Amino acid sequence: MTVTSNSTHASPSPATEPFPVTKIDGRPAVLGLDGPAPADPAAWVAEHRAFLRGAVAEHGALLVRGLGLRDAQSVARVSEELLDQVMTEREGFATREVLADGVYSSSEWPADQPMCMHHELSYAREVPGTLLFACLTAPATGGVTGVADSHDVLEALPAHLADRFEREGWLLDRNYTDTVGVGLREAFGDSGRAAVEAYCATRGIELTWQGNGDLRSRQRGPAVLRHPVTGRRGWFNQIAFFNEWTLDPVIREYLKFEFGDDGLPFNTRYGSGAPLDEDTVLTVNAVYEKHTLREPWREGDLLIVDNLRMAHSREAYEGERRIAVVLGDPFQVPSHP
């Protein structure tokens, strides 16, 4: 089992079912099903749940190929069989479409702009322990959902950089406006000021209401997480992805011109409040790149990811790309000391 709660428990025993899992350098673990796709993917997943979750525990991520997922309803049924609990997204950074109960579209992001490596909702107090990605329509080119092991990334980062972030944690600044990014209702489940303030008060999020009704927030979190099952430390955050230096330069300058230096939809800092320089952000992304595992999407694929261990990304693409996403197995991240 990947992760179900904050309680620690023994890792699952190695699966004994005769499904070959292929692991090649530079690629995630792949389980390929021979022959026609199962008539009922959810029933197949239910029958082999222990094997699938055991493989995810071993490899961090598992691509199941040949499952034949074609629509959001099938993905919803699979998620109910595979996950202990399906989550409703809160505090998301980009708009998603609800495709079925508990099933979202991938985040709306320009097709020609990559999404850097990150752990889903790693800035929040409650994060998904497991992610499901299902390919309903494969892009013509690109669009890979890469994964990278946070334990390997932490070990590969310059020691002085990792030590500072582990000591200080990291800060995420966000601006909620009517024109850029997600709105209050989508982020917090309610657009009323009292409801937003109550939500944030229980999660350590500092708020500043602007004169025009826009909202500015700041939250602090740990940059390094000890996996609750294995006990291994990993680089768990969205420091580089949400930083201004990762934005396309043209987009960054436009946003600063429109909203000011402190008005970007999101930006990150050291836990002390000091800004990050471009070299630091480039260093983190370069380490991620060296540890990225890639496998092009095929329609019907299911990618199961331990979100506490594996970061994920999305590469630029051409053509239609439809990936259904499910967040599950909520985990409470300890606050930074």
Side-chain angles (χ1 to χ4, degrees):
M1 189 171 293
T2 308
V3 150
T4 58
S5 69
N6 286 43
S7 61
T8 57
H9 50 273
S11 299
S13 301
T16 58
E17 298 178 63
F19 293 116
V21 174
T22 302
K23 185 66 182 72
I24 299 174
D25 287 348
R27 298 170 59 187
V30 177
L31 188 163
L33 300 182
D34 295 329
D40 186 344
W44 186 92
V45 166
E47 181 180 356
H48 304 296
R49 182 182 193 274
F51 177 85
L52 295 172
R53 297 204 58 146
V56 175
E58 179 180 355
H59 299 288
L62 177 69
L63 180 70
V64 183
R65 174 151 286 164
L67 195 53
L69 294 172
R70 291 290 183 266
D71 55 65
Q73 289 71 29
S74 296
V75 177
R77 293 184 59 235
V78 164
S79 70
E80 292 170 357
E81 300 294 349
L82 190 57
L83 302 173
D84 290 331
Q85 181 179 341
V86 175
M87 296 174 59
T88 298
E89 184 181 47
R90 290 288 180 262
E91 302 180 53
F93 66 89
T95 298
R96 296 184 191 269
E97 179 186 353
V98 178
L99 304 179
D101 189 21
V103 182
Y104 299 93
S105 66
S106 54
S107 299
E108 292 186 8
W109 199 259
D112 62 343
Q113 297 293 322
M115 295 174 65
C116 297
M117 279 288 176
H118 62 284
H119 294 264
E120 197 71 26
L121 295 176
S122 56
Y123 47 87
R125 289 289 177 84
E126 183 176 79
V127 306
T130 308
L131 302 174
L132 305 183
F133 299 93
C135 182
L136 305 183
T137 303
T141 61
V144 170
T145 299
V147 292
D149 193 312
S150 66
H151 310 317
D152 296 337
V153 170
L154 179 61
E155 292 179 358
L157 285 169
H160 71 278
L161 186 155
D163 290 346
R164 179 173 180 179
F165 275 112
E166 186 163 18
R167 184 173 63 252
E168 296 184 10
W170 65 294
L171 292 176
L172 172 63
D173 292 332
R174 299 185 66 173
N175 285 284
Y176 297 89
T177 73
D178 291 333
T179 55
V180 179
V182 298
L184 297 180
R185 180 174 296 279
E186 189 172 357
F188 303 111
D190 195 312
S191 59
R193 181 174 293 203
V196 171
E197 290 176 349
Y199 177 100
C200 294
T202 62
R203 293 163 175 83
I205 302 175
E206 302 173 13
L207 301 180
T208 303
W209 294 98
Q210 307 299 304
N212 61 358
D214 290 346
L215 177 64
R216 181 172 295 170
S217 71
R218 169 170 283 189
Q219 53 206 108
R220 185 175 187 232
V224 175
L225 179 71
R226 189 175 295 276
H227 197 283
V229 175
T230 66
R232 296 184 65 193
R233 295 160 56 254
W235 180 252
F236 181 82
N237 55 72
Q238 286 169 245
I239 291 167
F241 180 29
F242 281 163
N243 191 265
E244 62 179 293
W245 295 114
T246 299
L247 290 171
D248 179 276
V250 174
I251 295 175
R252 180 175 65 245
E253 293 309 312
Y254 168 77
L255 291 172
K256 285 193 171 187
F257 176 80
E258 286 289 319
F259 302 106
D261 289 347
D262 295 328
L264 295 174
F266 39 75
N267 203 2
T268 58
R269 297 175 178 270
Y270 289 104
S272 64
L276 276 66
D277 58 49
E278 185 176 11
D279 285 345
T280 296
V281 175
L282 292 176
T283 295
V284 173
N285 284 329
V287 171
Y288 268 134
E289 175 61 27
K290 290 181 180 178
H291 291 83
T292 297
L293 309 176
R294 296 177 171 87
E295 178 66 23
W297 282 115
R298 296 182 190 173
E299 291 184 10
D301 283 351
L302 176 68
L303 178 63
I304 311 167
V305 178
D306 178 346
N307 185 50
L308 304 184
R309 173 178 167 184
M310 307 294 285
H312 68 277
S313 61
R314 192 223 70 190
E315 298 179 359
Y317 67 93
E318 295 180 348
E320 183 182 3
R321 179 184 186 272
R322 295 179 63 234
I323 305 296
V325 181
V326 181
L327 289 64
D329 300 342
F331 174 79
Q332 299 295 320
V333 176
S335 59
H336 188 272

